[in-house]
């Protein structure tokens, strides 16, 4: 009840406050001036784990879409990672969409209705359970295609834990960067205008984030990884013994010490078929194959390692053999025994192979960070071999071939400018599992003949360069001449190394617009952002599937080398026995 006090009366104002007024209802200016100023509003503590409803809905959509199939079967750990990252991206897009909508509507954020979060929770549970069940069905179909065993129950239970941890962590990092941007902008506003301060604050945060990411994740991560795997490089694999003959690097009289070959180099020169093994296979006489190699610690530079390996190749008589292979390795220096063993069996041991190491890192890490080293290694090694080979009398030169798998194909390509260069300077080339960023590979695929697909492209009617995507099938185009030098690419439809590209973020690739490969589900479709992270998660598992799938190339090398080398007296029976 208002009470008249000194010609004024008090009437209700805002919660917990009264406003002095006169009897006519107008504010009493004297009393108003005398009233103490209201205390400043307390700044609320930042709520790191509070989420907006629009962002949550979009996160749910992206999280459910992450269960759709990709190229390879996933474990619970990988599924959780894909879900968490996809949901975080969806949350950011939802928040951004709500912000843009409010900007056009010219209004501030409104609190959600009382039951909105309850409805979301019910829908989220149903949607995630349904998506999980569908995802398990698709994963089962992929495993059946590839002959892979199903993961254990513990693996399946991991995915929600991993997904939630990644989602919360990524959102927290994003909010931390936003807080840093606002803090910088407030400090700058003391000296410059608000718009300029916010612009410079944004630039500062983006620049700092890039510097930290490139410094810590690239240089720092690579440095630490190199240190770790350099220790591993000093270990010799079980069953590998030092060569007892002078035809292998690390053996008697070699210019490269056994200890300087590295882990993969010792495996390369300390294993492989002997002359006796080849005789048992062919039934005719054979020679002991030559293998030359230089490890990362054998010389300080890539050029020096290449020349050292070629010098050791010449010492062993490699330039006097009928066939000479330049093999570009993967990051750790690995050479696929399925390829080189096949080559030696098929040539009767009258062959020599030379390779060098350029990194300590395993293949999937090198694939992301060691591309420049692979380029240097491939170019320097081929140039060193070609320099010596080209000075020999033409009738005394061995047939010069080039090979490489994965990042090795990327390095092997760099010595050549195109199709004609490959044809003119080699007697044959075999590349397996080429990364999507290979320069020549992308040229051949992007300029493929009309009507051919990205998974099985045909380039210039197959006159020099051809592709094989299904092991054991004829190489297209059938019926067209394939004379002179032959260049062959092996690529599986389910190989993530071949199909991974940053363009997957926002662009639909041709290989998902066309008919799927034989070991890729027809239910795999391109989804912005989601498909990119799905294929990215496939990379570490690329070789964890049986041969003929993913990035595992084994028996395919038999038909591939037979097509490239065209060995005399080669029969289907020999091919079957060599595959076995």
């Amino acid at each position: 009840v208002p009470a008249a006090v000194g010609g004024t009366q008090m009437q209700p104002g805002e919660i917990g406050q009264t406003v002095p007024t006169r009897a006519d209802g107008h504010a009493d200016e004297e009393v108003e001036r005398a009233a103490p100023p209201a205390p400043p509003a307390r700044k609320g503590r930042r709520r790191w784990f509070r989420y907006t409803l629009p962002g949550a809905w979009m996160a749910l959509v992206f999280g459910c879409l992450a269960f759709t199939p990709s190229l390879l079967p996933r474990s619970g750990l990988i599924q959780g990672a894909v879900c968490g990252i996809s949901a975080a991206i969806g949350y950011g897009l939802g928040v951004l969409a709500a912000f843009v909508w409010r900007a056009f509507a010219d209004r501030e954020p409104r609190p959600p209705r009382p039951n909105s979060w309850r409805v979301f929770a019910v829908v989220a549970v149903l949607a995630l359970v349904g998506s999980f069940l569908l995802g398990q069905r698709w994963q089962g179909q992929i495993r059946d295609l590839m002959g892979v065993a199903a993961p254990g129950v513990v693996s399946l239970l991991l995915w929600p834990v991993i997904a939630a941890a990644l989602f919360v962590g990524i959102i927290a990092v994003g909010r931390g960067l936003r807080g840093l941007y606002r803090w910088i902008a407030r400090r700058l506003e003391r000296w410059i205008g608000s718009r300029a301060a916010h612009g410079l604050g944004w630039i500062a945060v983006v620049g700092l984030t890039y510097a930290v990411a490139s410094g810590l994740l690239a240089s720092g991560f690579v440095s630490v990884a190199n240190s770790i795997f350099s220790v591993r490089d000093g270990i010799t694999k079980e069953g590998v013994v030092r060569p007892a003959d002078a035809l292998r690097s690390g053996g008697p009289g070699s210019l490269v010490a056994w200890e300087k070959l590295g882990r993969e180099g010792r495996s390369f020169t300390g294993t492989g078929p002997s002359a006796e093994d080849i005789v048992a296979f062919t039934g005719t006489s054979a020679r002991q194959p030559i293998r030359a190699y230089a490890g990362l610690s054998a010389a300080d530079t890539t050029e020096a390692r290449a020349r050292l390996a070629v010098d050791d190749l010449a010492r062993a008589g490699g330039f006097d053999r009928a066939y000479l292979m330049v093999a570009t390795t993967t990051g750790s220096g690995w050479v696929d025994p399925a390829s080189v063993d096949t080559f030696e069996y098929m040539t009767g041991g009258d062959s020599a192979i030379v390779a060098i190491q350029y990194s300590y890192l395993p293949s999937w890490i090198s694939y992301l960070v060691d591309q420049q080293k692979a380029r240097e290694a491939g170019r320097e090694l081929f140039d060193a071999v070609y320099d010596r080979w080209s000075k020999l009398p033409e009738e005394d030169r061995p047939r010069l071939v080039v090979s490489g798998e994965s990042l090795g194909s990327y390095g092997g390509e760099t010595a050549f400018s195109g199709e004609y260069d490959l044809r003119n300077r080699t007697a044959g080339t075999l590349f397996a599992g080429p990364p999507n960023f290979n320069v020549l590979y992308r040229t051949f695929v992007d300029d493929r003949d009309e009507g051919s697909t990205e998974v099985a492209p045909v380039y210039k009617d197959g006159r020099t360069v051809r592709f094989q995507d299904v092991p054991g099938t004829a190489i297209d185009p059938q019926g067209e001449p394939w004379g002179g030098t032959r260049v062959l690419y092996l690529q599986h439809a389910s190989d993530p190394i071949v199909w991974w590209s940053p363009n997957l973020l926002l662009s639909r690739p041709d290989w998902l617009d066309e008919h799927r490969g034989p070991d890729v589900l027809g239910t795999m479709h391109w989804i912005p952002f989601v498909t990119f992270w799905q294929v990215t998660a496939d990379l570490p598992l690329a070789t964890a599937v049986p041969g003929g799938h993913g990035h595992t190339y084994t028996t395919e090398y038999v038909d591939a080398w037979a097509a490239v080398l065209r060995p005399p007296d080669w029969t289907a029976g020999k091919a079957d026995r060599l595959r076995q």
Side-chain angles (χ1 to χ4, degrees), residues 313-327:
L313 174 72
R315 174 203 61 79
F319 288 95
D320 299 326
R321 293 299 176 96
Y323 295 87
L324 173 57
M325 178 199 291
V326 179

Side-chain angles (χ1 to χ4, degrees), residues 233-539:
D233 197 58
I235 301 172
T236 301
K237 295 180 182 179
E238 186 177 354
V240 175
V241 295
R242 183 175 181 178
D245 61 71
L247 299 181
R248 304 286 178 104
S249 292
S254 172
L255 303 180
V256 186
W258 175 250
E259 296 76 16
K260 297 291 184 180
L261 291 175
R263 181 173 184 262
E264 299 298 343
R266 288 189 290 273
S267 298
F268 172 67
T269 64
T271 60
S274 63
E276 292 76 16
D277 295 329
I278 299 173
V279 168
F281 170 73
T282 60
T284 59
S285 61
R287 302 182 68 178
Q288 182 74 11
I290 294 173
R291 293 188 178 188
Y293 194 96
L296 196 59
S297 61
D300 294 332
T301 66
T302 303
E303 181 179 2
R305 283 192 296 276
R307 298 218 170 267
L308 178 61
V310 173
D311 288 342
D312 206 35
L313 174 72
R315 174 203 61 79
F319 288 95
D320 299 326
R321 293 299 176 96
Y323 295 87
L324 173 57
M325 178 199 291
V326 179
T328 308
T329 67
T330 61
S332 60
W334 180 74
V335 181
D336 192 344
S339 176
V340 292
D341 290 3
T342 297
F343 178 77
E344 289 171 341
Y345 274 111
M346 203 168 287
T347 57
D350 194 7
S351 62
I353 305 173
V354 59
I356 62 173
Q357 181 186 14
Y358 57 84
S359 174
Y360 294 124
L361 301 178
S363 183
W364 70 272
I365 300 179
S366 299
Y367 172 78
L368 298 174
V369 300
D370 265 351
Q371 298 177 19
Q372 181 59 35
K373 291 181 181 179
R375 289 176 58 88
E376 292 176 0
R379 183 175 57 250
E380 294 292 351
L381 180 59
F382 182 83
D383 287 349
V385 170
Y386 190 79
D387 178 61
R388 222 178 258 221
W389 176 87
S390 61
K391 294 174 182 177
L392 296 173
E394 190 170 348
E395 63 275 9
D396 294 334
R397 295 173 185 169
R399 292 183 63 185
L400 182 60
V401 299
V402 177
S403 76
E405 181 175 324
S406 189
L407 204 56
S409 72
Y410 175 74
E413 280 189 359
T414 59
F416 306 96
S417 60
E419 173 196 1
Y420 284 102
D421 201 17
L422 282 165
R423 179 193 294 179
N424 294 334
R425 293 206 290 160
T426 74
T429 300
L430 177 58
F431 291 138
N436 200 261
F437 49 71
N438 277 22
V439 177
L440 295 186
Y441 169 78
R442 284 277 21 125
T443 298
F444 301 146
V445 172
D446 293 342
D447 296 341
R448 61 187 180 273
D449 295 350
E450 187 177 354
S452 64
T453 64
E454 189 172 12
V455 174
V458 175
Y459 179 76
K460 305 292 185 183
D461 293 324
R463 64 189 181 189
T464 302
V465 180
R466 295 195 180 188
F467 300 81
Q468 186 176 40
D469 62 313
V470 181
T473 61
I475 300 172
D476 291 329
Q478 301 178 48
E480 295 291 336
W482 195 15
T485 295
R486 294 185 174 187
V487 177
L488 179 62
Y489 283 89
L490 299 178
Q491 55 178 32
H492 294 152
S494 58
D495 188 350
I497 299 292
V498 175
W499 310 119
W500 182 89
S501 168
N503 294 333
L504 286 173
L505 279 167
L506 297 172
S507 299
R508 185 193 306 273
D510 289 346
W511 57 274
L512 281 178
D513 248 352
E514 303 160 345
H515 181 72
R516 308 290 185 273
D519 55 353
V520 177
L521 293 184
T523 49
M524 180 181 181
H525 299 285
W526 177 76
I527 304 169
F529 298 103
V530 175
T531 300
F532 170 79
W533 289 112
Q534 288 178 325
V535 178
T536 300
D538 287 336
L539 293 177

